[in-house]
């Protein structure tokens, strides 16, 4: 973009110089009162119109650059898009974080069979949230939410769980990771649809939902 602006400015300077030369040629010689011919006036008018056109283009380019910088935060913002300012909060059996609400509505498939089990959801610790945001940054994505699950009195080795995650769309790529002994382990995502992410779990724990450009396994 800087190169385009430089070229545009150079063009304006070149055209301006041409006008100066034309004007100078009409006043050189012994008779300084000689007026410009209609042809010369027409050339100068055309050049002046060209300058105005170039100036308008430069102004449009400047506005485009400013708009681009505004959308990207001007390149000087130190905050990360993966790190909302407010910590997650428990709202009943759900978690609200950065405008995203997550909860579990029941009907969890336990060990391959249907059940009436509903997982209990709460917000994880601040340390886990910080780690989840770091994970999202490494993935090149943004943290949708991070929750902690439990189901008192219900044991399982495999569970297919339908989580409600507000704002998720059918077109989103959502990677789900579980903090297992301090390491984020990627889980199998069975389905992503409007406001829902279906995940296969083998245990309870802290779970991070990350919106990513493409789904990929990452070693941590």
């Amino acid at each position: 973009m800087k190169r385009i602006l430089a070229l545009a400015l150079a063009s304006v300077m070149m055209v301006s110089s041409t006008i100066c030369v034309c004007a100078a040629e009409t006043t050189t010689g012994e008779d300084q009162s000689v007026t410009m011919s209609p042809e010369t006036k027409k050339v100068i008018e055309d050049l002046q119109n060209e300058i105005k056109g170039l100036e308008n283009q430069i102004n449009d380019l400047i506005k485009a650059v400013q708009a681009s910088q505004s959308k990207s935060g001007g390149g000087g913002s130190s905050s990360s898009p993966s790190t909302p300012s407010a910590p997650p909060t428990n709202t009943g059996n759900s978690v609200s974080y950065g405008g995203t609400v997550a909860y579990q509505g029941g009907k969890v498939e336990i060990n391959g069979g249907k059940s009436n089990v509903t997982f209990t959801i709460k917000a994880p610790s601040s340390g886990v949230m910080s780690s989840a945001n770091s994970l999202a940054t490494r993935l090149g994505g943004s943290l949708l939410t991070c929750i902690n699950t439990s189901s008192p009195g219900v044991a399982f080795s495999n569970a297919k769980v339908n989580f409600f995650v507000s704002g998720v769309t059918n077109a989103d790529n959502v990677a789900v990771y579980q903090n297992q002994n301090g390491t984020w382990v990627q889980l199998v995502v069975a389905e992503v649809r409007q406001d829902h992410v279906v995940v296969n779990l083998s245990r309870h724990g802290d779970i991070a939902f990350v919106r990513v450009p493409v789904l990929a396994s990452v070693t941590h």
Side-chain angles (χ1 to χ4, degrees), residues 92-175:
N93 192 31
S94 64
V95 171
S96 178
Y97 176 69
T100 299
V101 177
Y103 64 83
Q104 205 287 307
K107 297 184 179 180
V108 176
E109 292 185 18
I110 300 292
N111 298 328
K114 295 182 179 179
S115 76
N116 293 321
V117 173
T118 299
F119 281 6
T120 300
I121 306 297
K122 67 178 183 180
S125 67
S126 59
V128 170
M129 289 304 303
S130 177
S131 179
N133 273 298
S134 296
L135 169 69
T137 299
R138 292 196 299 272
L139 292 172
S142 59
L143 182 65
L144 293 169
T145 190
C146 187
I147 61 175
N148 177 276
T149 68
S150 62
S151 55
V154 178
F156 64 89
S157 58
N158 181 271
K160 187 176 182 179
V161 191
N162 183 359
F163 291 99
F164 177 91
V165 184
S166 67
V168 168
T169 69
N170 295 8
D172 282 335
N173 291 318
V174 179

Side-chain angles (χ1 to χ4, degrees), residues 168-190:
V168 168
T169 69
N170 295 8
D172 282 335
N173 291 318
V174 179
V176 180
Y177 286 77
Q178 186 176 58
N179 193 335
Q180 298 180 6
N181 301 319
T183 300
W184 288 105
V185 177
Q186 189 169 11
L187 304 178
V188 175
V189 176

Side-chain angles (χ1 to χ4, degrees), residues 52-102:
K52 289 180 181 179
L54 289 170
E55 288 175 344
N56 290 335
Q57 291 180 34
I58 291 173
N59 289 332
D60 290 341
L61 287 169
I62 291 173
K63 290 177 182 178
V65 171
Q66 291 173 340
S68 176
Q69 290 177 340
S70 175
K71 288 181 181 180
S72 63
S77 175
S78 59
S79 61
S80 167
S82 302
T83 313
S85 57
T89 56
N90 295 321
T91 54
N93 192 31
S94 64
V95 171
S96 178
Y97 176 69
T100 299
V101 177

Side-chain angles (χ1 to χ4, degrees), residues 10-21:
S11 298
V12 171
M13 292 174 65
M14 241 169 70
V15 175
S16 298
S17 299
T18 304
I19 291 177
C20 292
V21 170

